[in-house]
Amino acid sequence: MQKIKVKIPASPAASYTIAIGSNFLHTVLAQIKKLFPEKQLFLITDGNVAKTKNLKALLGKENIPKFVITPAGEKSKNIKTVIKIIETMEKQAFGRDTAVIALGGGTVGDMAGFVAAIYKRGVDVVQIPTTTVAQADSAIGGKTGVDSLISKNAFGSFKNPSAVFIDVSTLKTLNEKQFNAGLVESIKHALIADEKYFDFLKKNLNDILARKSKPLEYIAMKNCKIKASVIEEDPFEKNKRRSLNYGHTIGHAVESASNYKFLHGQSVAIGIIAANIIEQKLGLGGKERLEELKDIFEKLKINLEIPKSITKKQILDIISRDKKAVQKWPRFVLLEKTGKVLYRDGQYAHKVERNIVEETIDILINQ
Ligand code: GLY
């Protein structure tokens, strides 16, 4: 037998710029054309965004080829939609010289990013997030993918955007439920990385809920800085990036068990409460924080109740299939204190005994 070693050079380092501001969406298409003068542009959006003034603001009088995902939302976030998008692009002879533009929330951004990752082995993607959840989280960091019938983001890839444009004025078109639920990712960032930011969110909640530009720009900037500092260190989630999954283990399970009737942010809020209960059971403290969080989620009108149709067994089944599970048991990100993730034995995510997790789920179900 002969052996040949193939040496793969380290991927070249890359960087991208996140532009943050208000009322500048009408200038973005010209900026994209300047960034990618040689590229063919293909827009991916969804049926909800297509009805809003955000699409008109982006395009102005121009009309670029596009795919409108319908119905909007998690129901369409599957491989069938990806195939439809790719075939639409192929029919129009889009080549490797394509830049996909994602205009919309997390579902649009995740799907457009995934299409860009796999179309002809990869083309550029520009993210223009228009929801609180996408502006705080999903449009940055390059996680892309679609769900299978069994689990969330089962098909996926890391695909960093080539540019991100966050215009907080686009959030004006969101309904209250979506706007508020998306703020949970900002709360998560504050909890894992910055106590002062947590205090800012508490103090300025009314202005944020009134969708005032300045606090929204401030939180967009904080979210991006916190997330960027984590992914610059650990882009492929070997360890530190796991801290961004705070509240997501039980959160994703509840979201999936609800058949995506629960919004992502609402599910993560439940997951954050779960993490806080676990922290208390492990003697990590945080009793006061748990009450504060419940108070914040009440102000955000987020329903933390788990309906009777969702059982403990269902949640346990789903968490045992978590992508980050080891021997079919998930690892939990926990806080040492507000603004600081527990880092122990060189790890940011930890094994928690089954009885503690079960007791926590019981509390959540019966609260
Ligand atoms: N949403 C978590 C991450 O991007 O890693």
Side-chain angles (χ1 to χ4, degrees):
M1 187 185 16
Q2 295 190 53
K3 287 183 181 170
I4 297 174
K5 189 160 233 141
V6 180
K7 288 190 192 149
I8 316 283
S11 325
S15 67
Y16 55 91
T17 303
I18 305 171
I20 298 171
S22 313
N23 290 312
F24 73 100
L25 187 58
H26 60 287
T27 69
V28 169
L29 196 56
Q31 294 190 56
I32 294 173
K33 285 184 174 175
K34 214 167 155 194
L35 277 173
F36 305 107
E38 307 288 326
K39 304 257 172 184
Q40 299 189 72
L41 304 179
F42 185 79
L43 175 69
I44 300 178
T45 188
D46 70 21
N48 284 349
V49 180
K51 283 187 224 140
T52 67
K53 57 184 185 191
N54 292 336
L55 180 63
K56 287 187 201 98
L58 175 71
L59 292 180
K61 291 197 171 67
E62 296 219 32
N63 200 5
I64 59 172
K66 60 172 136 353
F67 187 97
V68 179
I69 298 163
T70 41
E74 200 80 23
K75 263 201 190 123
S76 293
K77 198 182 152 191
N78 54 49
I79 205 74
K80 283 190 196 150
T81 313
V82 169
I83 293 170
K84 277 193 211 154
I85 299 173
I86 286 185
E87 288 178 351
T88 304
M89 292 169 74
E90 280 189 289
K91 280 182 195 149
Q92 296 178 50
F94 276 89
R96 270 265 180 85
D97 60 339
T98 301
V100 169
I101 302 173
L103 177 75
T107 312
V108 169
D110 281 9
M111 271 201 274
F114 187 54
V115 165
I118 60 174
Y119 187 68
K120 312 255 178 202
R121 299 210 176 88
V123 297
D124 283 291
V125 62
V126 176
Q127 294 282 355
I128 312 176
T130 59
T131 62
T132 35
V133 78
Q135 292 191 353
D137 186 25
S138 55
I140 317 133
K143 276 192 183 174
T144 72
V146 293
D147 307 335
S148 71
L149 287 177
I150 316 286
S151 68
K152 210 170 145 69
N153 299 323
F155 304 89
S157 172
F158 283 102
K159 171 71 185 168
N160 279 307
S162 302
V164 183
F165 295 92
I166 298 181
D167 181 341
V168 297
S169 318
T170 60
L171 300 174
K172 297 226 161 88
T173 60
L174 283 184
N175 66 37
E176 186 188 42
K177 202 172 164 196
Q178 270 184 318
F179 179 90
N180 292 8
L183 291 174
V184 174
E185 294 288 357
S186 300
I187 294 162
K188 176 201 79 179
H189 281 141
L191 288 170
I192 63 163
D194 191 337
E195 190 175 7
K196 282 199 187 125
Y197 179 33
F198 188 60
D199 291 339
F200 175 90
L201 289 171
K202 279 189 295 186
K203 281 197 197 107
N204 293 278
L205 204 51
N206 289 341
D207 283 350
I208 294 166
L209 292 176
R211 305 189 196 189
K212 292 192 179 161
S213 295
K214 285 291 156 231
L216 289 179
E217 283 180 35
Y218 179 77
I219 65 174
M221 192 268 297
K222 285 301 282 184
N223 290 327
C224 291
K225 280 196 172 162
I226 290 171
K227 186 154 183 184
S229 77
V230 174
I231 57 181
E232 279 169 2
E233 212 178 294
D234 178 19
F236 299 115
E237 201 170 304
K238 302 280 183 232
N239 195 0
K240 188 168 188 181
R241 186 167 181 165
R242 290 185 174 186
S243 59
L244 295 173
N245 295 329
Y246 184 62
H248 280 60
T249 306
I250 289 187
H252 269 166
V254 169
E255 189 179 1
S256 164
S258 78
N259 230 343
Y260 301 104
K261 287 196 185 81
F262 279 27
L263 291 177
H264 179 68
Q266 176 188 9
S267 313
V268 174
I270 294 170
I272 288 177
I273 296 294
N276 273 261
I277 297 170
I278 293 174
E279 282 150 18
Q280 283 188 34
K281 285 184 178 291
L282 293 177
L284 292 162
K287 199 166 178 205
E288 200 181 299
R289 184 175 57 240
L290 179 61
E291 292 314 312
E292 271 179 338
L293 283 166
K294 283 188 178 163
D295 193 42
I296 295 173
F297 294 147
E298 198 181 315
K299 285 193 182 122
L300 296 181
K301 300 184 193 156
I302 291 178
N303 184 1
L304 300 172
E305 251 171 61
I306 299 185
K308 291 276 170 283
S309 54
I310 298 179
T311 63
K312 177 161 88 175
K313 182 177 176 309
Q314 232 176 331
I315 297 177
L316 288 168
D317 278 353
I318 300 172
I319 62 173
S320 63
R321 285 197 300 262
D322 188 277
K323 280 193 281 305
K324 275 80 69 177
V326 180
Q327 290 172 339
K328 302 207 173 133
W329 193 241
R331 294 294 180 262
F332 288 83
V333 178
L334 300 166
L335 298 184
E336 185 183 313
K337 59 180 183 128
T338 306
K340 194 165 190 304
V341 167
L342 179 72
Y343 179 68
R344 191 177 278 169
D345 301 329
Q347 297 298 324
Y348 288 93
H350 310 276
K351 185 172 176 195
V352 175
E353 291 309 325
R354 194 177 175 99
N355 64 318
I356 293 186
V357 176
E358 289 202 19
E359 282 166 25
T360 301
I361 298 172
D362 281 334
I363 296 174
L364 289 173
I365 286 179
N366 298 314
Q367 70 187 337

